[in-house]
Amino acid sequence: MRFTLSRRGLLARSISAITLVHAGAALAVSPIEEIVVTAQKRVESIQDVPLAVTAFSGDFIADRHLNDIKDLVLYTPGVTGDSHDSFIDTLSIRGIITNDFGVGGDPSIGVFKNNLYQGRNGVVVTSLYDIERAEVLRGPQGFLYGRNSIAGAISVFTTRPSFDEVDGYVNVDIAQRNHVFVDAAANIVMNDHLAFRVAGYHAEEDGYSQNAYDPSQNDLVAPDRNAGRFSARYQNDKTEVNLMLEYEDRKQSGSIYRATEKGSSWAAVDDTFGPITMPSDDIDINSDMSLGEKDNGKIFSAGLHVDQDLGFAMFNSQTGYRHHDYHYAEDFDATPIAINAYAQKQNGEYFEQEFRLISQTDSKLSWYAGVSYYQEEINVLFSQQGDEDVMCMYYVYPYGETCAQVYPGFTYDPQGLLEQNSVKGKYWGWAVYADLTYAITPKIDVSFGLRYTYDDKNFKLFAWPVTSELGPFFAMGFTTAGYLDGDESWDEVTPRALVEYHPSDDWMVYGSITRGYKSGGFGSFAISPDLLQTDVTNQEANPDDYDPETVWSYELGAKGDLLDGTMRVGLNAYWYDYKDLQVNVQGAGGGILVDNVGQVDGWGFEGTLQYVITDNLEILVNAAWADSSVNDAGPICDDTNVCDGEPLPQVPEWSGSAVANLSFPMRDGEIILTAEGYGQTKTYGGLLQNPEGQNDAYVDLALRAGYQANRGWSATAYIENVTDNTHYDGVADGSGILVAHYFGPSRPRTYGLRMTWNF
């Protein structure tokens, strides 16, 4: 859809998935019109969807420079944890984070593109360009997709070919630090039945974080991404077929870390190796990066979606395939001391097939049912490196002796202390589900859904021989004689019950009870029993497995229109009882286990207010409050109950965003002025909320001013991070030789210009 009329209703169009807002009379305020989404696999008004869902148009995504799926969290209530890398283990929905960064488990948040599952760290994050809409759903989602999503789901829809006309666009965005982002698309209509669309994307920018350890190194946090997509669409009276082929080559910096310079771990490391200093500019770091720094991925995706009208129901088939190669490297210890550099070389393939039936009758009973299957194969080489003398000097502290002093005749290894392990995973599973909705009265609907899920994982782990005379001293604590083999399966039945009440045409109130589930898995760096020895055999140990997560989630919500439809409100409150949360814990040899924490109770509320004040002025405000209590947390608190009752880490108590838009006519077009911001209260890196791991509250503001011509072109100047505020994606507590550190410094104040041509 091309918007060449007045931009009155800009936010209404932007925040909706598909919004139909037109210019009103000069002195009258037009109501917000219907917002249409497909969150429940039916085309329906977002006000009639009994779910906590926020939807964004492609225009909203492009105007705010939301570059990948993680950026959507900035304007979604109850969702936090954006980061500057290809990992999603910082994303939180209602406090639930994927805590395992290995490849033996599954993410807590499902990410989907055109309803196809996108996978795990290293493959899940792709660039947002030529996007039709995106929907972010909060709470367990077991009935809308082929894969379970225990915390919530992020669903992105690319722009399909249109049969309307041959058209397209070009966007060019230029800014400081040689920032050049370009995306373009063309729609090609062959006839009434066949159309194609091609889209391309390029993004590059010089980095903004300097490394004091090596001033000659290029500045860090520097993206260089290229992507292309081909889409084909066929339709006749009963059938529609959509094909998507996509490739992306992503190059950027790995996560960068800066010590907080607080806490007992910092004091011990500084006393042993110091004095250690951090650069005066908070966005800069001091890291040796002995394994380099990179976050490079090549991702190929193919998707085929078929809809067949059967009269009584719509049948659809979804087929997806993804292949990826990924190489990542970072200096995890956040210091110039060679303590722990980390690297990951990964490749994998993923296939899925889903069949679904959706009722199309006008009776009181509506329903949908589906069956899905997936299989995944993944191979990873993990590397962790440190300096041998660093290990000797720290672990005989306070003597500070080198390895040669501690062990007479010690021979140093040119690679230092390099510990590596390889992982091979073959996973498959299937699910069947159904959901029924019955209209008891014209005002009351009840729904009940049931899902059965089966997951099977074959997991192989090989801990390579360590050539350093220290042996597997730090990262793993063991080596193996070959691949250790583990095979486990899990299954679960999960129900959902929902009631919705429409007291008037303008309001809906709903309540739901949902059972969520995420399968168990294997730790990528641990064995069971937790042996401290070399050449472990499969007769002595197996890859360490952990149990599934489950949750009962309860939600109450209301959606409605006020002031003759010029104000739209969405409110919801939730409470959940989470069991067996999968978390990282320290192994006996200093390595990382994944274990299950007994129980987490979480609660909070989320709200959205959209208000068209005049035909030229409108605002959007999102806000969320969250709290939680962790119990039976011994595995992550030295097997004590000292953490019981504490809230989940990395989750702000308050978070929110706001956008205000002012527009007015100017010759053959209009001037558009926008102010926007998002922020959150302080967070902590651990359950005990130690001051060493505190991430301060922040607010990030942006201003935009532009002209949109009715002829199809526009130009917008902007300032992002107006106050030049430095904040971080997150923080972690210190432990032993690893100091408390921040990660992901914010992008500094940036001036730029975005230009668009429609044809």
Side-chain angles (χ1 to χ4, degrees), residues 382-445:
F382 297 100
S383 300
Q384 299 186 68
Q385 185 187 54
D387 183 90
E388 292 164 303
D389 274 343
V390 166
M391 297 298 149
C392 290
M393 293 172 68
Y394 183 86
Y395 286 102
V396 296
Y397 180 83
Y399 303 105
E401 296 180 346
T402 66
C403 292
Q405 292 172 313
V406 176
Y407 308 111
F410 184 88
T411 302
Y412 289 92
D413 193 291
Q415 298 182 104
L417 176 57
L418 178 63
E419 299 178 69
Q420 296 181 299
N421 67 295
S422 295
V423 163
K424 295 182 178 180
K426 291 185 177 180
Y427 315 140
W428 68 277
W430 62 278
V432 59
Y433 55 91
D435 189 88
L436 307 175
T437 299
Y438 185 76
I440 298 177
T441 73
K443 293 181 178 292
I444 300 176
D445 292 349

Side-chain angles (χ1 to χ4, degrees), residues 158-240:
T158 63
T159 304
R160 298 182 302 169
S162 167
F163 294 98
D164 295 337
E165 59 182 331
V166 176
D167 61 6
Y169 70 87
V170 177
N171 287 328
V172 177
D173 191 300
I174 55 176
Q176 293 172 279
R177 296 180 298 279
N178 295 316
H179 166 108
V180 179
F181 280 36
V182 180
D183 70 287
N187 190 78
I188 304 165
V189 181
M190 303 301 295
N191 51 49
D192 291 342
H193 302 290
L194 183 63
F196 302 102
R197 189 175 185 90
V198 291
Y201 174 82
H202 170 75
E204 62 178 276
E205 181 179 326
D206 295 342
Y208 54 80
S209 178
Q210 297 180 346
N211 187 4
Y213 184 87
D214 182 7
S216 66
Q217 183 180 25
N218 291 334
D219 290 348
L220 304 172
V221 197
D224 184 1
R225 301 190 289 265
N226 294 280
R229 181 186 307 128
F230 170 81
S231 303
R233 183 181 181 187
Y234 169 82
Q235 71 174 17
N236 59 32
D237 291 343
K238 297 288 186 179
T239 306
E240 180 172 324

Side-chain angles (χ1 to χ4, degrees), residues 566-696:
T566 61
M567 178 181 288
R568 178 157 290 169
V569 178
L571 298 170
N572 55 276
Y574 64 87
W575 177 77
Y576 59 75
D577 179 9
Y578 218 102
K579 296 290 181 64
D580 296 322
L581 185 69
Q582 298 162 2
V583 297
N584 287 328
V585 301
Q586 184 170 336
I592 298 173
L593 298 171
V594 181
D595 206 343
N596 297 93
V597 170
Q599 180 174 335
V600 179
D601 293 324
W603 54 90
F605 67 81
E606 301 145 355
T608 297
L609 171 67
Q610 184 180 345
Y611 184 23
V612 180
I613 300 171
T614 73
D615 275 347
N616 303 105
L617 177 63
E618 51 189 320
I619 60 171
L620 169 77
V621 179
N622 293 312
W625 175 83
D627 198 2
S628 58
S629 176
V630 179
N631 293 289
D632 299 328
I636 50 178
C637 291
D638 299 323
D639 292 322
T640 70
N641 62 358
V642 66
C643 296
D644 284 5
E646 297 293 335
L648 288 165
Q650 304 287 7
V651 181
E653 182 178 12
W654 287 95
S655 60
S657 61
V659 181
N661 180 78
L662 175 66
S663 62
F664 50 89
M666 178 65 70
R667 295 190 177 182
D668 192 24
E670 60 183 338
I671 299 289
I672 303 168
L673 305 176
T674 303
E676 59 200 48
Y678 54 86
Q680 62 182 45
T681 55
K682 63 185 177 183
T683 59
Y684 292 91
L687 279 172
L688 294 179
Q689 299 190 347
N690 296 319
E692 68 183 65
Q694 178 180 311
N695 198 15
D696 292 336

Side-chain angles (χ1 to χ4, degrees), residues 161-426:
S162 167
F163 294 98
D164 295 337
E165 59 182 331
V166 176
D167 61 6
Y169 70 87
V170 177
N171 287 328
V172 177
D173 191 300
I174 55 176
Q176 293 172 279
R177 296 180 298 279
N178 295 316
H179 166 108
V180 179
F181 280 36
V182 180
D183 70 287
N187 190 78
I188 304 165
V189 181
M190 303 301 295
N191 51 49
D192 291 342
H193 302 290
L194 183 63
F196 302 102
R197 189 175 185 90
V198 291
Y201 174 82
H202 170 75
E204 62 178 276
E205 181 179 326
D206 295 342
Y208 54 80
S209 178
Q210 297 180 346
N211 187 4
Y213 184 87
D214 182 7
S216 66
Q217 183 180 25
N218 291 334
D219 290 348
L220 304 172
V221 197
D224 184 1
R225 301 190 289 265
N226 294 280
R229 181 186 307 128
F230 170 81
S231 303
R233 183 181 181 187
Y234 169 82
Q235 71 174 17
N236 59 32
D237 291 343
K238 297 288 186 179
T239 306
E240 180 172 324
V241 180
N242 282 277
L243 171 69
M244 182 200 73
L245 303 174
E246 183 177 65
Y247 179 78
E248 179 161 357
D249 187 347
R250 299 172 60 85
K251 295 183 177 70
Q252 55 193 24
S253 302
S255 285
I256 60 175
Y257 301 87
R258 177 188 169 99
T260 67
E261 302 179 84
K262 300 175 184 177
S264 58
S265 293
W266 171 260
V269 171
D270 189 56
D271 287 347
T272 304
F273 307 109
I276 303 172
T277 59
M278 291 293 116
S280 58
D281 193 328
D282 290 343
I283 66 173
D284 295 335
I285 63 171
N286 190 2
S287 297
D288 61 287
M289 295 187 170
S290 57
L291 290 179
E293 60 83 23
K294 62 181 65 179
D295 184 344
N296 300 344
K298 296 181 179 180
I299 305 165
F300 171 75
S301 304
L304 180 66
H305 186 105
V306 179
D307 287 315
Q308 181 66 43
D309 189 346
L310 303 179
F312 75 98
M314 180 67 72
F315 169 80
N316 67 52
S317 167
Q318 297 175 162
T319 308
Y321 171 81
R322 288 169 70 81
H323 174 85
H324 76 275
D325 292 287
Y326 182 59
H327 190 186
Y328 181 84
E330 66 179 23
D331 186 11
F332 180 72
D333 59 69
T335 73
I337 312 303
I339 299 171
N340 185 223
Y342 171 86
Q344 178 175 335
K345 289 186 177 180
Q346 172 180 313
N347 66 78
E349 294 184 331
Y350 184 88
F351 170 81
E352 64 180 304
Q353 177 64 59
E354 182 175 6
F355 299 111
R356 184 188 298 262
L357 276 175
I358 305 167
S359 67
Q360 295 193 126
T361 63
D362 293 328
S363 68
K364 292 183 177 182
L365 178 66
S366 60
W367 52 268
Y368 61 84
V371 59
S372 64
Y373 171 83
Y374 76 90
Q375 63 182 39
E376 179 182 11
E377 185 169 344
I378 191 162
N379 299 279
V380 190
L381 171 64
F382 297 100
S383 300
Q384 299 186 68
Q385 185 187 54
D387 183 90
E388 292 164 303
D389 274 343
V390 166
M391 297 298 149
C392 290
M393 293 172 68
Y394 183 86
Y395 286 102
V396 296
Y397 180 83
Y399 303 105
E401 296 180 346
T402 66
C403 292
Q405 292 172 313
V406 176
Y407 308 111
F410 184 88
T411 302
Y412 289 92
D413 193 291
Q415 298 182 104
L417 176 57
L418 178 63
E419 299 178 69
Q420 296 181 299
N421 67 295
S422 295
V423 163
K424 295 182 178 180
K426 291 185 177 180

Side-chain angles (χ1 to χ4, degrees), residues 8-54:
R8 216 275 326 136
L10 172 71
L11 294 182
R13 280 197 297 266
S14 295
I15 294 298
S16 67
I18 304 170
T19 314
L20 308 173
V21 179
H22 302 280
L27 297 178
V29 180
S30 302
I32 301 171
E33 294 193 14
E34 185 182 44
I35 302 174
V36 179
V37 297
T38 57
Q40 295 195 116
K41 307 309 173 193
R42 297 184 179 92
V43 176
E44 57 189 335
S45 168
I46 196 171
Q47 297 300 94
D48 293 329
V49 177
L51 298 171
V53 55
T54 301

